[in-house]
Amino acid sequence: METWDLDYPDGHSETWTKDGPSGQFRLIHYNGLSPADDQYSPPEMAELVGARLCREGNATVQYPGLFRYSPVTGKALSEPQASTSESWLPPFGHGHTPDPFGMPGLRQTHVNLGLARTLVPEQDPGTQLPLPPPGDYHFLVGNLGARRASLLAIEPRKGMLYVFRDSLSLWVELRGQHQLLPGSTLVTSHWGLACPDASKQKLFLPTDRGLALLDINILNLSYELRLFPGRCMGSPVCFQGARVFVPVIADGDRGGVLQIDTGNTLRFEQLEFKHYFLAKPFPATLVDQRRIIWLSRLGQLILTFDDSANKPAISFISWPAGFEPCFQFGSPYRARDGVLWQLGFDQPQGRYEYLSLASNQPERQETASPRFGSGTINFTLETQLRSHPWLDPETVTDAGSRHIVAPLLESPNKSAFCVRIPWNQGADDLFNSQGKHAVVFRLVMEHGDIDFFTKKLTRPWLTSSFVYRNEFYLYHPDFDQHIPGWKLLSC
C-alpha cells in the first residue's frame, strides 16, 4: 500500500493511500481531519474535500484534487468543485466577536437582507428544510475545516448537535468521541457561543458544567470536547481573536470571569470578583473594540481593555434603586454617538425609562411607553421611530393600531426583519399571553415593506433566523413541519 502526502497552493494538506491490488485511492487525512468509512457518499466527500470523481467500472471512485488524469484509464478527470465559504454564528450571525461595523450582542447581522417584492404571506416558502429532532435550537453555518460550508443545529439545553446532510435531506447527530457535550440552563434566547477559528472548526459553548471547547471533525461526524471549570452564567466572548471570556460560578461560592488564551488553551485563569453579582444569569452580552458588557437583572458586569495592560479591568455596576431592566423588549439601544441605553421600569416613579450603560452616574430618559428595539431600529406599536426611542414620533399613524411590530434582526442595508403581532392591550402585557398569535413576518426596507410569511405561534418574538446557501430561514420551537426559507436577493 502506497501513501501520498500532498500539499496544495492554498495551504491545506492531504494524505491518501493507494491500494496495490486494486489501485484504489482512499483519503486518510484532510487538514488533520480523519474521514470515516461510509459516512458520506463519494460525491458528498468530494464536495467537502475537493476530490475529483471518476466513473471506473461499476463504481464511482475518488482521486486527489491535484490529479488531472485518472491513473487507471488516463482519462481527464472532472474539475473539483470550487471552494466556498459561509459563516453564520448564533444568535445573529456574528457571534460575539468585536466588529467595526456593528456591535455583537445587538440584534444586528453582517448579511444584507433583501427579498423579492412579489412575495405575499399566503405563498408557500421557496425552500423548506426538515426539522431536527424535537428541541429548541440555534443554527450555525461554517466550513468546519472543509471546502464547503455545513449547517449545524445546536440544542443547548440537551447538549445535542446535528449536521444537515443536504444530499439526503436529513439531520445526523454529531457524536462525542470521549465525552458528551453537557447541557445549559441558560434561556435559549439568551444563549450564544464564541469562535476564534475562521474555519469554525473550534467553538466555545457555555454549559452548566463549564465552558466547552468543541473541536469538530465534520468528515467523520464527531467532536472532541474539553471543559474549563465553572458554571457559565452568560455567553462567552472571543475578544480580538486572542482570548475568550465568560462569567462563571466555580466551586459553588466563587465567582469570576474565566479567561482562556485561544493560542494556547493550557493558559487560562479566573478573574475573580464577588460571587453574589452572579446570582442571576446574563441575558445580554455586548462587545465593542474596548470592552465587554454582560447585563443581568442585578446590573452590568464590565471588562475594560487598556492597550497598555494585558489584563482587563473588571467592574460591576448595579442598577439604580428601583430600576428593573426590561430585556424582553429586545436589544439595548445604540445611539449615533455610540452611547448604549437599556430600557427598564422605574418602580418608584411608575414609568418606563432608558438608562445609559457603563456609567456610575447614568443618564435617564423617560419614555411614554416601552419600545421594541433591535439596536438602532425601534418601534412604538406599528410606527418605526426615526430618532431616540424615548422621543414620541412627530406623526402617529397607528394611534388606533391593534398590532405591535417587533424588530428581530437588523441588516447593514438598513432593512429589518420584523414580526407583526395582533394585540390591542398594553405592550408589556404581551409577554404574559399564553395563546397563539396569528403573526405576519415582514422585511422593513427603506423603499417599502415586504410581508412574506404568516404563522400562528406562541411567543412569536422568540423567532430566530439564519442564512444558509443564500437562503434566509426562520425558526421557532412551535414549527412542527419544516423550517421555511426564502432566497436572498442582492440589494
Side-chain angles (χ1 to χ4, degrees):
M1 181 176 290
E2 300 178 29
T3 300
W4 296 61
D5 292 318
L6 304 174
D7 295 318
Y8 285 70
D10 64 3
H12 86 269
S13 61
E14 301 173 359
T15 299
W16 293 73
T17 61
K18 177 186 177 184
D19 181 71
S22 67
Q24 184 175 356
F25 278 74
R26 178 170 171 263
L27 180 64
I28 302 300
H29 293 288
Y30 178 86
N31 276 347
L33 302 179
S34 300
D37 292 334
D38 302 325
Q39 288 284 13
Y40 291 101
S41 66
E44 284 181 297
M45 183 60 71
E47 190 177 1
L48 285 168
V49 303
R52 297 182 188 247
L53 294 176
C54 182
R55 188 73 180 174
E56 294 178 355
N58 295 321
T60 299
V61 298
Q62 300 180 72
Y63 289 112
L66 286 178
F67 285 24
R68 298 180 62 187
Y69 300 93
S70 166
V72 174
T73 66
K75 293 182 179 179
L77 298 172
S78 60
E79 287 293 321
Q81 184 161 324
S83 177
T84 59
S85 179
E86 292 185 62
S87 176
W88 185 276
L89 292 177
F92 306 118
H94 274 300
H96 288 124
T97 301
D99 178 75
F101 303 106
M103 172 167 276
L106 302 182
R107 297 171 180 262
Q108 297 174 334
T109 182
H110 62 294
V111 178
N112 283 324
L113 300 180
L115 298 174
R117 294 193 174 276
T118 55
L119 292 176
V120 293
E122 298 76 20
Q123 183 179 347
D124 288 337
T127 306
Q128 297 180 357
L129 298 180
L131 286 164
D136 191 357
Y137 287 90
H138 281 289
F139 294 87
L140 178 146
V141 177
N143 284 50
L144 304 173
R147 285 173 60 90
R148 67 112 167 122
S150 294
L151 173 63
L152 296 186
I154 305 171
E155 219 293 2
R157 296 176 304 177
K158 301 175 183 177
M160 301 297 293
L161 297 102
Y162 301 89
V163 62
F164 184 64
R165 295 282 298 275
D166 295 85
S167 64
L168 304 177
S169 192
L170 58 80
W171 294 92
V172 177
E173 182 183 349
L174 291 181
R175 308 175 312 279
Q177 290 284 59
H178 299 100
Q179 57 179 328
L180 300 178
L181 178 67
S184 172
T185 51
L186 292 175
V187 176
T188 304
S189 59
H190 301 158
W191 184 94
L193 55 75
C195 180
D197 179 9
S199 73
K200 310 299 184 289
Q201 187 176 337
K202 294 184 178 181
L203 308 169
F204 287 88
L205 284 68
T207 81
D208 287 352
R209 287 178 45 206
L211 183 63
L213 171 55
L214 209 65
D215 191 344
I216 296 175
N217 186 339
I218 194 63
L219 299 188
N220 68 9
L221 301 175
S222 69
Y223 62 84
E224 294 278 359
L225 178 69
R226 179 182 174 188
L227 285 174
F228 296 89
R231 178 186 176 190
C232 297
M233 299 300 292
S235 296
V237 172
C238 180
F239 197 81
Q240 308 292 5
R243 289 175 288 177
V244 169
F245 299 89
V246 65
V248 297
I249 294 178
D251 301 327
D253 60 352
R254 291 176 54 241
V257 173
L258 181 65
Q259 171 184 272
I260 302 170
D261 185 334
T262 60
N264 179 4
T265 54
L266 295 177
R267 297 174 56 187
F268 63 93
E269 63 175 317
Q270 183 167 298
L271 312 175
E272 297 198 14
F273 65 98
K274 296 177 181 178
H275 73 278
Y276 52 79
F277 292 136
L278 291 165
K280 297 291 184 181
F282 295 91
T285 307
L286 307 172
V287 192
D288 63 20
Q289 300 296 318
R290 291 295 182 90
R291 65 189 175 182
I292 304 169
I293 305 175
W294 288 278
L295 303 179
S296 78
R297 298 207 171 274
L298 298 179
Q300 311 164 51
L301 171 60
I302 303 174
L303 260 64
T304 304
F305 297 85
D306 188 333
D307 290 340
S308 64
N310 189 44
K311 191 172 183 178
I314 186 170
S315 61
F316 192 91
I317 301 177
S318 299
W319 301 116
F323 180 86
E324 293 185 1
C326 297
F327 300 119
Q328 66 271 31
F329 287 96
S331 295
Y333 166 62
R334 189 187 195 188
R336 288 190 178 93
D337 60 4
V339 176
L340 294 163
W341 299 78
Q342 175 60 49
L343 174 67
F345 191 75
D346 185 342
Q347 290 282 5
Q349 299 296 324
R351 66 190 185 194
Y352 286 96
E353 66 178 15
Y354 281 85
L355 186 82
S356 63
L357 296 179
S359 172
N360 288 308
Q361 295 181 319
E363 296 181 59
R364 306 174 83 142
Q365 296 286 351
E366 179 183 354
T367 180
S369 61
R371 319 301 201 190
F372 286 83
S374 51
T376 62
I377 294 175
N378 299 276
F379 278 82
T380 174
L381 297 179
E382 290 194 86
T383 298
Q384 183 177 348
L385 302 175
R386 302 298 177 181
S387 185
H388 299 305
W390 51 83
L391 299 178
D392 289 330
E394 294 182 3
T395 303
V396 178
T397 58
D398 55 6
S401 174
R402 295 178 177 270
H403 291 83
I404 285 175
V405 172
L408 303 180
L409 190 66
E410 297 181 13
S411 172
N413 62 1
K414 299 183 180 179
S415 64
F417 163 54
C418 304
V419 59
R420 184 173 183 261
I421 308 167
W423 191 253
N424 58 6
Q425 303 176 43
D428 50 346
D429 295 327
L430 176 64
F431 302 104
N432 296 319
S433 62
Q434 302 298 319
K436 288 192 174 185
H437 305 269
V439 302
V440 173
F441 291 99
R442 169 179 293 175
L443 189 65
V444 174
M445 307 181 72
E446 284 192 293
H447 304 294
D449 303 340
I450 302 170
D451 290 343
F452 63 94
F453 188 54
T454 184
K455 190 76 173 176
K456 279 192 172 184
L457 300 171
T458 59
R459 300 167 65 85
W461 54 89
L462 297 181
T463 303
S464 61
S465 56
F466 63 93
V467 174
Y468 177 56
R469 296 196 169 186
N470 204 42
E471 300 275 350
F472 180 64
Y473 290 96
L474 305 187
Y475 172 75
H476 190 282
D478 281 1
F479 287 175
D480 57 1
Q481 294 182 336
H482 56 258
I483 301 173
W486 295 263
K487 185 175 180 59
L488 281 178
L489 302 182
S490 59
C491 55

